[in-house]
Amino acid sequence: MLNFENNEGTEEELLILENRNYKSCSEVNDNVIKENGILIKEEQTNSVYKREQKVLITCIALSNLFQYISWSVLAPFFPTEAARLDASPTQVGLIFGIYSLVQCLSSPVFGKFLPVIGARFMYIAGYFLTAGCNIVFGFLDKLDPGLEFVIFCAVTRCLEALGTAAVVTAGLSLIANKFPDAIGQVMGTVEVFVGVGLMIGPFIGGVLYEIGGYTLPFAVLGGVMLLHSFLLLFILPLDDENIRTQSGSYIWLLSIPGTWVATSASFIGAASATFLDPTLSPELEKFNLTPIQVGLVFLLMGVSYGITAPIFGWLSDKYNIPRLLIIFGCFLSCVGYLTLGPWLPLHIPHSVATMCIGIIVLNVAFGSAITPTYQDYLGTVTFNGMPDNMSTYGVVSGMFMCAYSLGSFTGPLLGGLLVENLNFGTASSLLGFLNFIFAVVMLIFSLFEYRCGKGRRKMICTSRFNHRTDGGQYQEITYCAQ
């Protein structure tokens, strides 16, 4: 076996390796052959592996669907029930907001230890915890009103957030490991189910609440998720044997300037998307819309995002332009918020029609800005020398979820404060200009990065645990590539 560590090897051998794109350690396994003395990957034509990919994406898609239904199912009735149990509006806001805050704090921890724990175990255990918390949450109305109810609600939501953070962090790592050539497209497909979950969650919650009261929505959803978690034990593919057990390095990750762009993009995208959660409905009520009409506007948000997210994921994969799509999405977010407000100098009439146009533009922008972010993250770190394996996927997933969850926590808080102290139009315009400023900064940085690094195609070396020796141990081979 040839070892190219420290760039050893003939010029011809290095040239051949430079023209090969080794995507992940899962692609280079025991099925390795030599061509002209050079190690290459044997084409994977095994139908079992293709079936494994289909099973994995189905599991992740359904898990995301149920989890985001559980996240949004309590929106139509919980504030009213909490008020009946002597919980103040501030305490209700804490119960909602603490979910994203716990995800922000726990995701990096899960990402750090994912290679040690195992992605499959972390995924199933986190999903089981989320299912159990849903069931428990449905019986909290039996507690004494006041502080006891609030504390148990907050603790249960914290545990549920821990489970969700584990599931999402492990799921992102599995996508990167099993779909190295289609990360953007798979992310876009998964995001469709996120949008569907957010759309139908409040509707399902309202219907079940009308039928059986406070307990029924959580009992039904938790029971379905519990059954699904048991099914995952039998259908979720096993972890690859050659996943390295060493944890990834956040210090190395954050020392790469390009990762701060991806981290900021995750934060800005999530904050922009959740900014409307506490502000849009009160603004629509000024037009004397019925609850059904307001619900249709929110449905419009999910539909426009769900349709466009896979398209931008496909574009990101096919043309390898995740950074350009993120920048385009931020510019488009500016247009959407200035239309939604609207910004006074534009002299756009403030009506339901213009708000719907702004909402459509915004959710198309979110599909462009959020879907390719994870792919850009992975491309940046592997280009700068981090190994293309599960340890890197873990820390990238953890940091991505940390930034996204922090944005989800900040967006509603910022939206409520701005609308309370200013007005909806001014608040929307300010957020639009924030997206514009970030897009300009990211564009300038990307041009500088291309000129000084990627544009010159500097040679880098990445390590893989991809060859098993006779003793059963995996040997680290360093490939030099562009």
Side-chain angles (χ1 to χ4, degrees), residues 10-59:
T10 67
E11 182 177 354
E12 180 183 0
E13 291 168 341
L14 289 176
L15 179 61
I16 295 175
L17 283 175
E18 288 172 11
N19 292 324
R20 297 190 181 277
N21 184 17
Y22 289 88
K23 288 291 185 180
S24 74
C25 60
S26 65
E27 289 185 329
V28 187
N29 48 29
D30 293 334
N31 298 320
V32 176
I33 61 176
K34 286 185 178 181
E35 182 179 293
N36 298 327
I38 304 300
L39 288 172
I40 64 171
K41 173 178 70 69
E42 184 178 12
E43 291 297 327
Q44 180 58 264
T45 59
N46 193 338
S47 61
V48 175
Y49 183 74
K50 294 180 180 178
R51 184 165 60 250
E52 181 185 71
Q53 286 182 309
K54 295 176 182 178
V55 169
L56 178 62
I57 193 172
T58 302
C59 290

Side-chain angles (χ1 to χ4, degrees), residues 152-306:
F152 274 89
C153 283
V155 171
T156 305
R157 289 283 284 180
C158 287
L159 293 175
E160 185 180 352
L162 285 175
T164 302
V167 171
V168 176
T169 302
L172 289 173
S173 300
L174 288 170
I175 288 174
N177 186 45
K178 297 295 186 180
F179 299 89
D181 295 317
I183 294 175
Q185 188 173 355
V186 174
M187 286 287 292
T189 303
V190 169
E191 286 296 312
V192 172
F193 289 85
V194 172
V196 171
L198 293 175
M199 281 191 300
I200 67 176
F203 175 75
I204 292 176
V207 171
L208 293 178
Y209 177 75
E210 289 292 331
I211 295 174
Y214 178 86
T215 301
L216 187 61
F218 301 107
V220 171
L221 182 60
V224 172
M225 293 180 69
L226 196 62
L227 176 62
H228 187 211
S229 66
F230 283 116
L231 292 177
L232 288 175
L233 289 171
F234 302 99
I235 62 177
L236 191 66
L238 298 174
D239 291 333
D240 291 343
E241 294 181 0
N242 57 345
I243 291 177
R244 65 191 306 175
T245 57
Q246 180 181 351
S247 298
S249 172
Y250 282 110
I251 296 177
W252 189 358
L253 178 76
L254 296 176
S255 67
I256 301 171
T259 61
W260 288 95
V261 174
T263 301
S264 301
S266 302
F267 173 81
I268 294 292
S272 299
T274 57
F275 173 86
L276 296 176
D277 288 352
T279 59
L280 181 60
S281 181
E283 188 67 18
L284 290 173
E285 290 175 358
K286 295 179 181 179
F287 296 97
N288 298 319
L289 299 182
T290 66
I292 295 178
Q293 291 172 327
V294 173
L296 289 175
V297 174
F298 277 92
L299 181 64
L300 185 64
M301 297 173 63
V303 170
S304 54
Y305 179 76

Side-chain angles (χ1 to χ4, degrees), residues 233-477:
L233 289 171
F234 302 99
I235 62 177
L236 191 66
L238 298 174
D239 291 333
D240 291 343
E241 294 181 0
N242 57 345
I243 291 177
R244 65 191 306 175
T245 57
Q246 180 181 351
S247 298
S249 172
Y250 282 110
I251 296 177
W252 189 358
L253 178 76
L254 296 176
S255 67
I256 301 171
T259 61
W260 288 95
V261 174
T263 301
S264 301
S266 302
F267 173 81
I268 294 292
S272 299
T274 57
F275 173 86
L276 296 176
D277 288 352
T279 59
L280 181 60
S281 181
E283 188 67 18
L284 290 173
E285 290 175 358
K286 295 179 181 179
F287 296 97
N288 298 319
L289 299 182
T290 66
I292 295 178
Q293 291 172 327
V294 173
L296 289 175
V297 174
F298 277 92
L299 181 64
L300 185 64
M301 297 173 63
V303 170
S304 54
Y305 179 76
I307 291 175
T308 56
I311 296 175
F312 287 117
W314 177 80
L315 289 173
S316 179
D317 284 330
K318 183 172 180 62
Y319 299 104
N320 195 24
I321 52 171
R323 183 70 61 82
L324 288 179
L325 290 176
I326 296 171
I327 295 172
F328 170 75
C330 290
F331 279 123
L332 195 60
S333 294
C334 175
V335 175
Y337 269 115
L338 293 181
T339 304
L340 179 67
W343 189 38
L344 291 178
L346 295 179
H347 300 292
I348 297 176
H350 188 41
S351 64
V352 176
T354 56
M355 291 189 69
C356 288
I357 293 173
I359 287 171
I360 293 174
V361 173
L362 275 175
N363 283 274
V364 172
F366 297 153
S368 177
I370 296 175
T371 305
T373 305
Y374 186 71
Q375 183 183 2
D376 181 73
Y377 224 136
L378 284 176
T380 298
V381 298
T382 53
F383 178 83
N384 284 274
M386 292 188 72
D388 193 356
N389 56 28
M390 190 59 80
S391 64
T392 297
Y393 303 156
V395 293
V396 169
S397 300
M399 188 55 63
F400 173 83
M401 273 304 298
C402 175
Y404 189 88
S405 300
L406 184 60
S408 298
F409 175 76
T410 305
L413 181 63
L414 180 64
L417 288 174
L418 289 177
V419 171
E420 183 178 352
N421 292 279
L422 299 172
N423 57 64
F424 181 81
T426 304
S428 298
S429 300
L430 287 176
L431 197 64
F433 286 121
L434 177 63
N435 275 274
F436 179 83
I437 293 171
F438 176 70
V440 171
V441 172
M442 185 161 53
L443 178 61
I444 294 173
F445 175 85
S446 299
L447 292 173
F448 175 80
E449 182 185 49
Y450 182 83
R451 177 70 179 86
C452 297
K454 292 186 179 181
R456 298 179 180 177
R457 303 292 292 172
K458 291 182 178 179
M459 181 179 293
I460 60 170
C461 294
T462 58
S463 300
R464 316 267 157 81
F465 280 81
N466 63 349
H467 176 68
R468 189 163 58 194
T469 62
D470 295 337
Q473 300 295 322
Y474 284 90
Q475 178 181 356
E476 182 175 7
I477 307 298

